[in-house]
Amino acid sequence: MENRLVRAFLVLLLGGVIIGMGGASTAWAAKQGDPIIVGAPVPRASAYGQNGERGMILAAEQINAAGGVNVGGVMRPLKLEIIDDRDEEPGVPTSEVLLAIEKLILQKKSDVIVGGPCMSECGMAAMDLYARYKTVDIVSIGCYTPSWDQKVAKNPEKYRYSFRESGSVKWYIKEALDLLAKIKKEHGFNKMFISIDDSLMCRKAAGIVEKLATKGGWEIVGSDKHPIGTTDYSVALNDCKKSGAQVLFIWAYSPESSILLKQWADMEVPALPIGFIGAAEDPGFWKATNGKGAYTIVTLSETGNVPTDATPLAKPFYEAFEKRWGVPPRSTGCVSAYEALYVLKDAIERAGTLDKDALIAAIEKTNLPSVRGTIRFDENHQIIYGYDPKTSVLGCWVQWQDGQRVCIFPEVAATGTIQMPPWLKK
């Protein structure tokens, strides 16, 4: 009799446990919400677009693997809806780019837009689209024009839906000038030759650098403006050699800039190449130049694109990116697009909702430790760059040394110092 009572008790207990487990499972399942749709316009034919797409996919996979985004107690996964907006392809009109974004808003029912367009003209036009549809967007690949935050400043109520988490050319020029000041102080250089692609953006940006560098004590001893696609730079490099320049400042995004730097090494031009050089950003640059790109200094725009201990999350990001894609992070877009999804997650969880007004208010109050430093936005919704990772995000200037991209500026992120080519030491 006693044994029967014990068995009955155990059966009841096990049943209770199973029921309890079933109840818990049901409750857990009930808290799994629908996906949050994240529309992502990306120019897939461009390197920056590819950078950003990889960064966003990596972040979405990590967030979803950790359970998703907590929206008022309901865990919801992120669903990326990526569309090729083709905004960096020659001949693609802005109207076509806007149609792609409109498709993300109206057909894909995106809750928020993250990513491109990369081209400033398209990014500026898209702001009006977001205002019309009251869609929150976080620009996180390219679109560096200073006109972007000026547009927000002129009509903050209309453009309150737009945030720019990528960089601004205003900051990048300041960073370049600060690096030049450091080189001037440490090496006694004061003569510069400027070489640029003949494009509107390069002409304008290089003009600003020339003006401000002159104020900083640099003498501009010569310049060159070559058509995009040029394959022989020997005349300009010979002029540079004769000019007495100690720095060759380059602003060129064409792939042919690798030829420029190979010729620079072959001719042993005694001026250190520094600048915004598209070809030199790529991890394959060393192989493409047979090592002749050594000593080139180039900006990768975002801390985290090379190993550094500047922030606790920089190295884990670098390693996760390399493991996921089989290649190191390249440059612009890899880090900023990755971080954009974490900015979104953080803001949604603080707001507890996807309501537009609540989400905007939450993004405005972002104070998020991340890969580049601490993400905050100014009053015009522009991410704040600086030199202190506790209050801002950091850029990344590297020099090619022994086949590696070594961070040499800003100093808080540096893992090496500037080296000079042997023919410049003579």
Side-chain angles (χ1 to χ4, degrees):
M1 179 66 182
E2 186 176 339
N3 288 339
R4 285 203 301 271
L5 287 173
V6 170
R7 283 198 299 272
F9 172 74
L10 290 173
V11 168
L12 286 171
L13 179 62
L14 180 60
V17 170
I18 291 172
I19 291 169
M21 288 176 63
S25 175
T26 303
W28 181 82
K31 290 185 179 179
Q32 300 305 295
D34 294 333
I36 297 169
I37 308 298
V38 181
V42 168
R44 281 181 157 152
S46 88
Y48 292 162
Q50 293 159 14
N51 293 347
E53 182 168 353
R54 287 178 169 181
M56 286 187 286
I57 290 174
L58 175 61
E61 288 176 348
Q62 289 179 346
I63 290 169
N64 290 340
V69 180
N70 187 340
V71 188
V74 178
M75 297 303 293
R76 298 177 60 176
L78 296 178
K79 182 181 179 184
L80 278 175
E81 287 286 356
I82 298 173
I83 193 167
D84 185 0
D85 68 14
R86 303 178 60 217
D87 71 82
E88 289 202 321
E89 293 181 34
V92 175
T94 299
S95 58
E96 193 170 314
V97 177
L98 297 182
L99 281 175
I101 296 172
E102 209 162 25
K103 183 177 179 182
L104 288 173
I105 296 171
L106 298 178
Q107 293 185 21
K108 299 298 182 181
K109 308 294 183 188
S110 297
D111 294 300
V112 63
I113 300 291
V114 172
C118 290
M119 282 190 66
S120 295
E121 296 89 334
C122 299
M124 293 284 288
M127 293 170 75
D128 290 291
L129 205 60
Y130 301 133
R132 187 197 314 164
Y133 290 112
K134 297 181 170 38
T135 299
V136 174
D137 84 290
I138 305 176
V139 179
S140 47
I141 314 172
C143 188
Y144 289 159
T145 176
S147 301
W148 189 95
D149 36 326
Q150 289 170 3
K151 188 168 180 173
V152 176
K154 285 179 182 174
N155 196 338
E157 178 58 27
K158 179 177 180 180
Y159 298 116
R160 66 197 182 96
Y161 300 94
S162 291
F163 292 80
R164 187 164 63 174
E165 195 256 358
S166 61
S168 166
V169 75
K170 275 192 303 188
W171 171 257
Y172 294 138
I173 288 176
K174 171 176 170 42
E175 227 181 25
L177 292 167
D178 289 343
L179 174 59
L180 288 168
K182 173 182 165 68
I183 292 171
K184 183 171 182 284
K185 180 180 178 183
E186 293 180 356
H187 299 276
F189 294 171
N190 64 353
K191 294 180 180 176
M192 185 189 304
F193 188 97
I194 297 177
S195 177
I196 64 169
D197 278 349
D198 189 7
S199 70
L200 177 62
M201 198 280 282
C202 291
R203 288 195 301 271
K204 280 193 169 182
I208 296 170
V209 170
E210 179 176 346
K211 182 179 177 182
L212 296 178
T214 302
K215 283 185 179 178
W218 286 87
E219 180 184 355
I220 310 302
V221 293
S223 64
D224 156 59
K225 185 173 59 182
H226 47 259
I228 294 173
T230 295
T231 56
D232 183 2
Y233 300 87
S234 57
V235 173
L237 288 170
N238 201 38
D239 289 343
C240 177
K241 202 170 183 177
K242 291 177 182 174
S243 71
Q246 299 136 332
V247 163
L248 170 59
F249 191 87
I250 302 170
W251 205 310
Y253 290 111
S254 63
E256 290 79 10
S257 50
S258 62
I259 299 173
L260 166 63
L261 289 158
K262 276 197 290 188
Q263 291 185 330
W264 164 82
D266 288 337
M267 295 173 66
E268 296 192 348
V269 178
L272 187 65
I274 300 172
F276 300 80
I277 313 165
E281 298 173 15
D282 198 286
F285 175 69
W286 187 264
K287 188 176 180 181
T289 61
N290 296 320
K292 292 180 179 178
Y295 308 106
T296 300
I297 295 176
V298 61
T299 179
L300 304 183
S301 306
E302 304 162 350
T303 277
N305 281 316
V306 292
T308 175
D309 293 321
T311 70
L313 296 176
K315 199 170 283 182
F317 163 79
Y318 181 90
E319 292 169 352
F321 190 100
E322 192 170 38
K323 181 179 179 182
R324 174 63 178 85
W325 299 109
V327 292
R330 183 181 182 273
S331 59
T332 294
C334 289
V335 183
S336 54
Y338 171 86
E339 291 176 325
L341 292 194
Y342 280 97
V343 168
L344 184 61
K345 176 181 186 293
D346 171 67
I348 292 173
E349 291 186 341
R350 282 188 287 108
T353 173
L354 286 171
D355 173 78
K356 305 288 174 58
D357 290 334
L359 186 55
I360 290 168
I363 297 175
E364 287 175 338
K365 293 175 184 171
T366 297
N367 190 0
L368 180 68
S370 193
V371 177
R372 287 177 290 175
T374 301
I375 296 177
R376 299 187 301 131
F377 294 95
D378 68 16
E379 67 276 13
N380 296 323
H381 291 186
Q382 168 63 47
I383 197 169
I384 298 173
Y385 263 86
Y387 294 128
D388 183 352
K390 294 179 181 176
T391 58
S392 61
V393 295
L394 307 173
C396 179
W397 286 81
V398 300
Q399 184 179 42
W400 278 96
Q401 299 176 1
D402 298 325
Q404 303 296 320
R405 301 174 300 170
V406 178
C407 184
I408 49 90
F409 193 78
E411 291 178 0
V412 69
T415 55
T417 57
I418 295 173
Q419 296 181 4
M420 293 293 168
W423 57 87
L424 192 52
K425 293 178 182 174
K426 294 173 185 174

